[in-house]
Amino acid sequence: MTWRTTSTSASADSTAASSCSAPNHHGYVQRLMAMCAAFGDEPHVNLQVLIGQMVNLVRDGQPLRMSKRAGTVVTLEDLVEIVGVDAARYALTRSSADSNLDIDLDVLQKRTNDNPVFYVQYAHARTHNVARNAAASGVDRSEFAPELLDHETESALLGVLQEFPRIVAYAAEVREPHRVARYLEELAGLYHRWYDNCRVIPLGDAPVEPVHRTRLWLNDATGQVLRNGLTLLGVGAPERM
């Protein structure tokens, strides 16, 4: 079991949800290890604690000043209420625990490409929209000819898709889930560029050709990987947006 502790704050004397801890709370680690040993487990083996850095909340370009002394505290529940579960989870996951994190509340509430979780979720929803339109246009999955995928955006997309198992395995090994989030953003960007350059549906009255069916497979594979990655992060993968 790995326990990552973080703090949502804007200054040194700030605090967050009661279940979180600031980076200067490393003294709690030994207490947790003592508890682990008391239950008969091996400290640092059966229990690992990752201490996260400060999380700063920003609104209107200014940090939200919080202090437990003044009673001005933003809890994790407050963050979820402001931006939603998906955006909160994704925002906290996409940065390394070793670096300070600035969460811009205004950006996370936008339905634009500036919002990283929207950017990835929209790519997933787009794969489903392409599949629905393909079915309506008579493009099926009856054949797959990978040699026809010769556009530069297709080569790039295929190259990144095959990296997914390695990225996930390494992220788990080094306890860095942000690597999965960053991978998903790269994949979403490549998919959007592919979408702009390669057609799954023939133009006008042109016949359906093997390349269209093959591209549909590539579209579906991208959607599956995006969905798997979002699921690993505990983030929803909507089919329509």
Side-chain angles (χ1 to χ4, degrees):
M1 177 175 66
T2 301
W3 182 10
R4 172 180 175 175
T5 62
T6 33
S7 171
T8 306
S9 65
S11 61
D13 67 343
S14 302
T15 188
S18 59
S19 60
C20 298
S21 175
N24 59 352
H25 289 175
H26 56 271
Y28 286 98
V29 174
Q30 291 306 314
R31 304 179 197 180
L32 291 169
M33 293 306 165
M35 178 189 68
C36 177
F39 279 99
D41 292 319
E42 185 176 352
H44 302 291
V45 175
N46 299 112
L47 175 64
Q48 299 176 22
V49 181
L50 305 181
I51 301 296
Q53 297 300 306
M54 289 292 185
V55 178
N56 305 308
L57 301 183
V58 178
R59 169 167 278 171
D60 298 327
Q62 300 295 324
L64 292 180
R65 298 297 177 184
M66 294 175 284
S67 172
K68 59 185 178 183
R69 296 184 182 91
T72 54
V73 176
V74 178
T75 66
L76 188 58
E77 287 79 5
D78 294 331
L79 177 61
V80 169
E81 184 175 347
I82 294 170
V83 302
V85 173
D86 285 348
R89 282 180 175 170
Y90 193 88
L92 291 170
T93 303
R94 71 185 296 264
S95 295
S96 170
D98 295 329
S99 60
N100 289 337
L101 173 60
D102 291 332
I103 295 182
D104 193 319
L105 301 178
D106 298 318
V107 169
L108 290 181
Q109 290 177 297
K110 292 180 179 179
R111 293 177 60 83
T112 68
N113 290 343
D114 293 333
N115 181 350
V117 66
F118 176 85
Y119 188 66
V120 175
Q121 288 181 321
Y122 181 68
H124 177 263
R126 175 172 268 183
T127 65
H128 279 268
N129 187 56
V130 168
R132 287 190 293 267
N133 291 338
S137 300
V139 181
D140 58 29
R141 301 171 180 81
S142 59
E143 58 185 317
F144 178 68
E147 67 276 7
L148 299 177
L149 300 175
D150 56 5
H151 192 275
E152 62 179 2
T153 59
E154 293 173 322
S155 298
L157 191 54
L158 286 166
V160 171
L161 284 172
Q162 71 176 358
E163 286 290 295
F164 182 62
R166 182 187 67 81
I167 293 293
V168 171
Y170 186 67
E173 178 184 352
V174 298
R175 309 294 196 269
E176 294 182 347
H178 72 276
R179 294 180 181 274
V180 176
R182 298 295 180 161
Y183 167 86
L184 293 177
E185 291 171 34
E186 179 185 6
L187 177 60
L190 290 172
Y191 175 76
H192 289 310
R193 287 192 286 276
W194 172 78
Y195 176 89
D196 291 336
N197 287 277
C198 299
R199 295 191 62 83
V200 174
I201 302 170
L203 277 172
D205 296 328
V208 175
E209 299 178 354
V211 67
H212 300 117
R213 300 187 181 96
T214 301
R215 284 174 176 167
L216 180 57
W217 280 102
L218 180 58
N219 175 81
D220 293 349
T222 304
Q224 182 67 60
V225 171
L226 288 169
R227 181 164 59 256
N228 290 349
L230 288 169
T231 300
L232 284 173
L233 300 179
V235 178
E239 297 183 3
R240 297 177 185 269
M241 292 182 71

